[in-house]
Structures are given as structure tokens and as C-alpha cells.
Amino acid sequence: MAKLISGVKISAEIKNEIKEEVKELIRVKGVRPGLGVILVGEDPASKVYVANKQKGCEEVGFLSETARMPADSTEEQVLNQIRLYQERDDIHGLLVQLPLPQHINKNKILYAISPDKDVDGFHPVNIGRLVAQQEGFIPATPAGVIEMLKREKIEIKGKNATMVGHSEIVGKPCALLLLNEWATVTICHIETKDLKSHTRDADILVVAVGKPKLISADMVKDEAVVIDIGINRITKDMADEKLLEWRKEDFEKKGSTLVGDVDFQEVESRASAITPVPGGVGPMTIAMLLKNTLQSAKRYAGIR
Ligand code: NAD
């Protein structure tokens, strides 16, 4: 059976470390890290993500503010809110929760955020810094994957790593980070022919697609490390007998459950280590966002 890599446990460790650093930063420099979040519209999942970010900030002693804007806000209004946060000395990191309503040009908004407060790491300047291996902000989810591997003392250097998924915010930066750690990286996407031939070759398999059971046991190398970034909500009517039984409690309480892209129950017996969903990469994302915000506040305070 694979070792379970718990994002709940690792993210709690990271948050404790951040909490201590925050106390020190306030004591020595009088600087309390601050995160500004902009939420446009009423998307239910976005509301949950934003609430979790706020909760994370409170846990570690950050200032956190959320600007909640109506769904019909104009691009100019959102840009204005970015400017307001950007000008403030007590806001060291800011982010705009995605997705944005259709009428708003996502790139125009994301590119308006100063790279030095862009704690999501989505600005092209930060993506360039990642490519050039210079100091900058690394998108939280991919950063969380590497942090998990490191804290679990899983060697990356020299390993074959396959990244399934090539989105700007997850797959591509994650592949780059693995490359920066000296893995030999293969990137797969929706047009990849014979996905299995690439996943079977992976010592480290990272999956970020959004399709339940995309990865079955026969697609995984024996003793591979499997990191499942995918998050899929499965309602009772979508679930098979096995899942209904396994997640009985969730279905009874909430009528749905969360699964990743990997067929966990099958793959668990083949892999050497695996992340669960929920409780794997998910909690790491918030921890790494907080880490980015702390890094920004430290830079503001003149600490490198
Ligand atoms: P996306 O839709 O932008 O990208 C999906 C990627 O999957 C694309 O690169 C696409 O080419 C690839 N793909 C689609 N079908 C495929 C197939 N059959 N075979 C191989 N590749 C295929 O999604 P995203 O924003 O990168 O998110 C991916 C998943 O990760 C989603 O489930 C999302 O909810 C989850 N996610 C989790 C966290 C977290 O904190 N754990 C954070 C961000 C995203």
C-alpha cells in the first residue's frame, strides 16, 4: 500500500511556521502581512475559496480584506479596486479570484497587478522569473506540489516526472518547477496520443486535468509517486457502487463527494506514495499563498 501524503498535516506545519514568522516580523519590524482579495460575482465555488483564504489569513495572523464586487462590475471598476489595494502599504499581496465574469478581460485584469504584489504568480513577469529561475512569486498549487515532495523527502533530481495537464496556472508552472529541480519532464495534454505510454514511464506522476478516474492503475508505474491535483465533485447519481460505499458518509451528509483525477482505490496499491483528494494538494494551495504573502511582506520590511 502506498504511503499517504497528507496535505492537511504538511499545510498545518507550514501555517505554524508562518505564524511564528509573522509574530517576529511584527515584533522586529512592526509589519503585519496583508492580503487583499477581489471577488467579482456570486460564483459559489469562488466564494468558498475566498472564505478559505480569509480563514487561512486569520489563522496565521495576517490582515485580510476582501472586496466583494457585483457580477456586473465593469473592467474599469475592477482595475480601480486593484489600484486601491496596490497603493496601500499594509497590503503586501493581492489577487483577483478566478473565474471572472465573461465581459471582463481576464488578462487585462491579471496584468494590471504589480508583479511585486502578485502573490498568485500569474503575471507574465513572475512566469518569466520562474522560467529564468529568478526570485518571484510561484503559483500556489504547483509550489505546494514541490513543497510536499520536499517535505516527504522524495527525490526529484534525475527522476522521470510526467505532468498531465498544461494549464497556465497549474500544469505548465508545475512542469517547470519539476524541471528546475532537475527531473526529466514530460508534459501531456488533451492532444497527447497514448497517454498511458507517458504515465507508465513516470517515477513521479502529477495530474491536473479535472476528469475523475483519468488515471487507472495500469497507467501507473510500480512504486511511482502519484500527486493528484484534480478536484471533481461527484453527486450521488454520478457515482458507481464502489464510490457510493467508500464515501457513504459524504453522500448521506452532503449528497456529493470530492475525488481527484486518479482512481485512488486502484492506484493506492501500486504507488509508493500518493496524495488523497480531498486532503492532499488542496490545503497546500492556501498554505503556499500565505507563504507568498509573507515573502512579499518581508521584502517590504527589508528582509530578504
Ligand atoms: P484546465 O481546464 O485549465 O486544464 C486542464 C488540462 O487538462 C489541460 O491542459 C488539458 O489539455 C488537459 N486535459 C484535458 N483532458 C485531458 C485528457 N483526456 N488527457 C490528458 N490531458 C487532458 O484546468 P486547471 O485549472 O489546470 O485545473 C486542473 C484540475 O486541477 C481541476 O480539476 C481543478 O479543479 C484542479 N485544481 C486544483 C487546485 C488545488 O488547489 N488542488 C488548484 C487549481 C486547480
Side-chain angles (χ1 to χ4, degrees), residues 141 164-167 170 189-190 195 208-211 214 229-231 281-282 285:
T141 303
V164 187
H166 80 317
S167 68
V170 185
H189 45 74
I190 194 154
L195 181 63
V209 171
K211 289 195 178 149
L214 178 70
I229 301 179
I231 301 178
V281 178
T285 298

Side-chain angles (χ1 to χ4, degrees), residues 229-245:
I229 301 179
I231 301 178
N232 307 288
R233 184 167 291 284
I234 307 291
T235 50
K236 216 168 179 176
D237 53 310
M238 295 157 77
D240 60 20
E241 287 297 318
K242 228 166 112 186
L243 187 65
L244 283 172
E245 182 54 34

Side-chain angles (χ1 to χ4, degrees), residues 242-260:
K242 228 166 112 186
L243 187 65
L244 283 172
E245 182 54 34
W246 182 32
R247 298 286 177 85
K248 205 171 168 185
E249 223 173 279
D250 277 359
F251 287 118
E252 275 168 12
K253 271 195 206 152
K254 301 178 254 177
S256 66
T257 193
L258 291 182
V259 299

Side-chain angles (χ1 to χ4, degrees), residues 14-87:
I14 294 170
K15 280 194 256 178
N16 275 333
E17 292 162 13
I18 294 175
K19 209 168 155 179
E20 290 310 309
E21 281 207 57
V22 170
K23 280 188 204 153
E24 199 57 13
L25 191 60
I26 294 173
R27 192 180 67 79
V28 178
K29 297 278 183 183
V31 174
R32 173 176 158 143
L35 177 69
V37 176
I38 300 174
L39 173 63
V40 188
E42 301 289 332
D43 180 62
S46 293
K47 282 182 169 174
V48 173
Y49 292 138
V50 167
N52 287 340
K53 286 169 191 177
Q54 257 183 321
K55 191 169 149 258
C57 284
E58 281 159 26
E59 276 171 42
V60 297
F62 285 6
L63 163 76
S64 102
E65 274 189 28
T66 303
R68 289 168 212 279
M69 308 183 65
D72 61 356
S73 302
T74 63
E75 232 166 59
E76 198 44 52
Q77 285 169 325
V78 181
L79 291 171
N80 243 333
Q81 182 56 51
I82 291 176
R83 264 179 237 123
L84 288 176
Y85 276 149
Q86 217 128 248
E87 283 163 5

Side-chain angles (χ1 to χ4, degrees), residues 118-131 136-147 167-177 180 229 281 284-292 295:
D118 166 42
V119 283
D120 259 344
F122 295 164
H123 193 287
V125 166
N126 279 317
I127 297 166
R129 286 173 177 158
L130 172 59
V131 173
F137 295 116
I138 295 166
T141 303
V145 169
I146 300 298
E147 190 75 20
S167 68
E168 309 294 317
I169 60 175
V170 185
K172 280 185 195 169
C174 197
L176 271 168
L177 286 170
N180 289 351
I229 301 179
V281 178
M284 292 299 292
T285 298
I286 301 228
M288 299 314 282
L289 169 70
L290 299 173
K291 215 172 167 178
N292 279 349
Q295 181 192 331

